[in-house]
Structure formats: structure tokens, C-alpha cells
Amino acid sequence: MCAFKACFCLKKVRQKPGYEDPIILASETPFTVNEVEALHDLFKKLSSTIIDDGLIHKEEFQLALFQNSSKRNLFADRVFDLFDVKCNGVITFGEFVRSLSIFHPNAPESDKIAFLFRLYDLRQTGYIESEELKEMVFALLSESNLDLSDDVVESIVEKTMMEADMKGDGKIDEEEWREFVKKNPSIIRNMTLSYLKELTLAFPSFVLNSEVPD
């Protein structure tokens, strides 16, 4: 009988896969324990929209952003990939909180710059090449419902490469990217979500509001 009760208690408190203690997550991020708990409520809603397994699948991520689980966008895919730290096709609660913490007003600027670099480094080579930059600009324009000609996009890419590629080797490394962003701080403006300081249960709209390099 005692063994049965012990088994019942274990099942009752067992958390879903990927759950982490809010106290630990708060100690590793700018979030307070209360804010982490509020994020967990949001996470539970997002992770149960299609498959109620305590994990955010890409379709659920897309549904939260676009109200459409089948819509695909390169920029949104890259954000999902960066949140999916373990690269196993799902986002756990711990990954969700740690990744979202980069957008907190108190997060180090260096983390924001590094995250954006990884976002644009589509091939994960440690460099941003002109073709990658062009693909991302098109994705951002598409999601913002802006229709610019190929010539205008080429002009944006060429101007960015000319300014950022200080070594003149046809690609932007992390050091060059940091210097470029310091000269153009508006690029990371949307890497800070002010409402994360007074957390509200709304999914971040940074994907829809991100800017392309001038």
C-alpha cells in the first residue's frame, strides 16, 4: 500500500520533458522567479496548441507567430533553430527561457549582437556572406509585406557589405559584425523587448518587427 502511494505521488509531481526549476532559470537569466513562472504559463499554452507534450514544435512556433502552422519564413525558421539549442526539432522550457532572455532589457548587448550574427549566418560557417544577407533581407521584407525591387535589395546588401566587410574578403566575421553594429545601433533595436521587464503573457513579435540593415 505504501509503495502504491509513493508511486502515485511521484506521478502527481512529475513534470513534462524539458521542465527546469524556475529558481535555477532565474539565477541564470535576467528574469525573476515570478517572471519565469509567468513564462512557464505561456510556454504551456504554446506547447499544447498542436501536441500536448510539454515541448514547442516548429508548427506550434509558426502558429504562435502567424496564426498558421503551415506558413514558412526563413527568418522565423532561423529563430526557431536558435531557440532549439539541442538541435532536436523541439524547444524545451529551459531553452525557451534562456533564449528569450537575450531580448530582456537587462541582457548584455554583446549577447544580442552575437545572437543576431548567428541569425544571419545561415550556413553556420562563422561568417555572414552577401548571399546569406540577401536571403535574410528578402525574408524580412516578405514578412513585413514590403515589396522592394531586386535592384534595391542588391543595393542594401552591397552597402552593408561595403561598410561591414572591413577586411575586404567578401564576408563578415564576428569581429567585423560587432564593429558594424556599434556604428549602426538601430540594427539591434528590436533585440530588446521592453515588456519582458514587466512580463506580459504575449508571444514576442520580434520576428515580425525586425529591421534589415540600412
Side-chain angles (χ1 to χ4, degrees), residues 51-186:
I51 304 172
D52 189 8
D53 59 357
L55 302 166
I56 295 179
H57 296 254
K58 182 169 283 191
E59 293 79 9
E60 292 170 322
F61 193 78
Q62 297 284 349
L63 184 61
L65 291 175
F66 307 122
Q67 303 302 307
N68 184 335
S69 62
S70 61
K71 182 171 182 176
R72 288 291 178 267
N73 175 270
L74 174 62
F75 194 63
D77 283 347
R78 287 296 297 141
V79 173
F80 179 90
D81 290 343
L82 293 184
F83 272 54
D84 175 19
V85 178
K86 295 177 183 176
C87 301
N88 58 358
V90 292
I91 300 172
T92 65
F93 177 57
E95 290 174 324
F96 182 73
V97 174
R98 290 188 180 90
S99 298
L100 200 55
S101 72
I102 293 170
F103 297 86
H104 194 284
N106 294 341
E109 184 179 273
S110 58
D111 289 352
K112 299 175 187 291
I113 294 173
F115 185 93
L116 201 56
F117 179 86
R118 292 168 59 210
L119 200 65
Y120 278 79
D121 180 16
L122 301 179
R123 320 288 189 255
Q124 301 177 50
T125 59
Y127 300 96
I128 300 173
E129 300 185 47
S130 58
E131 193 59 36
E132 293 173 311
L133 187 59
K134 186 191 300 184
E135 287 182 49
M136 192 62 78
V137 170
F138 273 123
L140 285 167
L141 292 174
S142 173
E143 211 45 62
S144 302
N145 294 316
L146 294 175
D147 185 18
L148 298 182
S149 68
D150 290 354
D151 288 343
V152 172
V153 172
E154 287 284 356
S155 178
I156 293 172
V157 172
E158 287 178 11
K159 181 182 176 183
T160 300
M161 293 298 298
M162 189 178 300
E163 185 177 350
D165 178 20
M166 293 178 289
K167 297 174 183 174
D169 56 3
K171 53 192 178 183
I172 305 169
D173 61 27
E174 291 189 64
E175 181 184 355
E176 291 171 324
W177 179 253
R178 283 194 297 270
E179 291 301 314
F180 176 65
V181 173
K182 286 178 182 178
K183 294 176 183 176
N184 302 274
S186 64

